[in-house]
Amino acid sequence: MNLSEKMVALGKKRSCIREIFEYSKKRKAEIGEDGVFDFSIGNPSVPAPAKVTEAMRALLERDPVALHGYTSAQGDLGVRSRIAEDLKKHYQAEVDPELIYMTCGAAASLTISLTAITEEEDEIIVFAPFFPEYRVFIEKAGAKLVVIPGKAPDFQPDLTALERAITPHTKAVLINSPNNPTGAIIPAKTLSALGVLLAKKSEEFGRVIYLISDEPYRELVWTQEPLPFVTHYYDHVLVCYSYSKAVSLPGERIGYILLSPKAENAQDLYAAVCGAGRALGFVCAPSLLQFTVGECVDAVSDFSVYRTNRALLLEELTRIGYEVIPPDGAFYLFLKALEPDANAFCERAKKQELLLVPGDDFGGEGYVRIAYCVSTEQIQKSIPAFERLYQDYEDQKI
Ligand code: PLP
């Protein structure tokens, strides 16, 4: 084959999430929208804040040549400065606009960050369960993915296992809090211990181990505790942010990378980020969207519906008899399948028109993910289907 076999294979096999999302479209066409309970994809169901729409309208009145023209490759400095000011205000974090790189969402933030730091034989460590695209991004950057198995019931990072997994080849640890798919939030004391461990290991091996923090769900927090900001706990940090989830702009592809000013050789690290952006063709994130987020740095959608959905699902699924992990953030719920094979369980759920994602590709075997960023009505209507599915397994036991 006169093509990259790896890319052909990647293109032919959709992600497990998109596979079910496509099935949902087909099934809805067959039996109608209302008959299918699609919990497959993390597509926000609430609109972007009114402020975002108003800012876009106002921007469209401006000089179109300037508005739609290229910005600097790393993004407009005025926009980056506003983002930096907002982060300083919210998280009392040290932020330098000259160390922010605007991107096309978290996916681009991750691929750029990974490409910027990866050299031959490098290893990137992730904690299971994790967003399945990490594997694709890490391997494409030329690194090896090292997975630390997840530990039920809270799925917090296992630092003892991490210490054992770190080798002289470890280039970075990649964390995601609030987590997709469990909703787990890494508390400050764990981040602090993680920071101490990474500093110790960096010293032991004589080279910096970076911490990449993937934060597209940063504002989606359901607990009272404010989300700890990672740069307070470790120096060598790359934060990957996206406006896809809490600001409901997933199709617009906008986000950023933020480097801690305390990172070793921060200027060179930034140069590497700019170089990776250049090499990957990710220069000048969409201008209209850059200026829009610059006008609305503190705006988030009204996502109270997700809080309602979370409470409703937790209550109803527990009542029925399912084992669920109460999510502290994001808009996903990790549910224990009623048989060891989560794929088989999802197939049986399909018979009740319930579309769930098996945990296997997330490194969470035996569990399924429910994306509850849907209407509360869909959740309410789906409960009898969850009941029938449970009963189906109960009947089998007799
Ligand atoms: N990281 C995680 C954990 C995600 O869940 C997603 C999307 O669902 C992404 C990254 C990619 O986000 P974006 O749409 O901003 O590229």
Side-chain angles (χ1 to χ4, degrees), residues 42 104-108 110 131 134 137 176 178 180 214 216-217 241-245 250 253-254 332 369:
C104 297
L110 286 163
F131 181 49
Y134 288 171
F137 299 161
N176 169 223
N180 173 9
D214 181 25
Y217 304 97
Y241 183 73
S242 161
Y243 294 88
S244 295
K245 310 292 177 171
R253 317 305 304 135
I254 188 78
Y332 306 107
R369 188 189 80 168

Side-chain angles (χ1 to χ4, degrees), residues 73-110:
Q74 61 271 42
D76 179 76
L77 184 56
V79 170
R80 291 185 282 139
S81 301
R82 278 189 221 119
I83 292 171
E85 282 311 311
D86 181 63
L87 290 171
K88 278 184 208 164
K89 198 173 89 193
H90 259 87
Y91 300 103
Q92 290 74 51
E94 212 183 305
V95 185
D96 178 353
E98 301 275 11
L99 294 176
I100 292 178
Y101 189 97
M102 301 303 295
T103 65
C104 297
S109 301
L110 286 163

Side-chain angles (χ1 to χ4, degrees), residues 39-320:
F39 294 106
S40 66
I41 202 164
N43 210 3
S45 63
V46 299
K51 203 171 166 185
V52 166
T53 318
E54 284 156 19
M56 270 192 184
R57 282 213 179 93
L59 283 164
L60 288 169
E61 298 301 320
R62 287 199 196 164
D63 169 22
V65 176
L67 178 65
H68 301 301
Y70 290 120
T71 63
S72 305
Q74 61 271 42
D76 179 76
L77 184 56
V79 170
R80 291 185 282 139
S81 301
R82 278 189 221 119
I83 292 171
E85 282 311 311
D86 181 63
L87 290 171
K88 278 184 208 164
K89 198 173 89 193
H90 259 87
Y91 300 103
Q92 290 74 51
E94 212 183 305
V95 185
D96 178 353
E98 301 275 11
L99 294 176
I100 292 178
Y101 189 97
M102 301 303 295
T103 65
C104 297
S109 301
L110 286 163
T111 51
I112 293 172
S113 298
L114 289 162
T115 305
I117 60 170
T118 298
E119 293 167 301
E120 223 172 290
E121 298 195 353
D122 278 347
E123 295 169 354
I124 310 286
I125 302 182
V126 304
F127 298 98
F130 59 92
F131 181 49
E133 295 305 272
Y134 288 171
R135 180 181 295 282
V136 179
F137 299 161
I138 289 170
E139 289 176 359
K140 181 66 191 99
K144 184 176 154 217
L145 170 77
V146 176
V147 180
I148 310 267
K151 274 206 311 201
D154 60 359
F155 289 103
Q156 283 294 326
D158 179 348
L159 298 190
T160 311
L162 174 65
E163 181 155 15
R164 281 197 304 266
I166 294 176
T167 73
H169 294 295
T170 304
K171 182 52 75 68
V173 174
L174 168 51
I175 55 171
N176 169 223
S177 168
N179 179 269
N180 173 9
T182 63
I185 288 179
I186 306 177
K189 71 174 190 333
T190 309
L191 280 179
S192 180
L194 175 62
V196 170
L197 174 62
L198 293 184
K200 183 180 98 176
K201 286 287 177 182
S202 298
E203 200 176 318
E204 187 182 324
F205 292 123
R207 71 170 200 167
V208 160
I209 300 172
Y210 293 99
L211 181 61
I212 302 179
S213 181
D214 181 25
E215 305 183 0
Y217 304 97
R218 188 196 284 154
E219 296 84 1
L220 296 166
V221 174
W222 314 125
T223 55
Q224 296 302 318
E225 295 290 303
L227 191 81
F229 201 69
V230 177
T231 60
H232 291 309
Y233 302 91
Y234 189 57
D235 287 348
H236 315 292
V237 172
L238 299 93
V239 174
C240 295
Y241 183 73
S242 161
Y243 294 88
S244 295
K245 310 292 177 171
V247 196
S248 302
L249 292 172
E252 302 297 352
R253 317 305 304 135
I254 188 78
Y256 60 80
I257 301 165
L258 163 85
L259 307 184
S260 169
K262 292 178 282 175
E264 185 182 72
N265 299 327
Q267 296 305 329
D268 282 347
L269 179 60
Y270 190 63
V273 164
C274 294
R278 181 178 169 194
L280 293 167
F282 277 138
V283 290
C284 176
S287 303
L288 174 62
L289 267 297
Q290 283 192 52
F291 293 123
T292 302
V293 298
E295 295 290 320
C296 316
V297 278
D298 55 354
V300 287
S301 308
D302 173 6
F303 43 69
S304 49
V305 64
Y306 305 150
R307 190 184 281 279
T308 309
N309 293 353
R310 172 191 178 277
L312 185 62
L313 267 177
L314 270 179
E315 190 189 319
E316 289 294 317
L317 294 178
T318 311
R319 175 187 61 75
I320 295 169

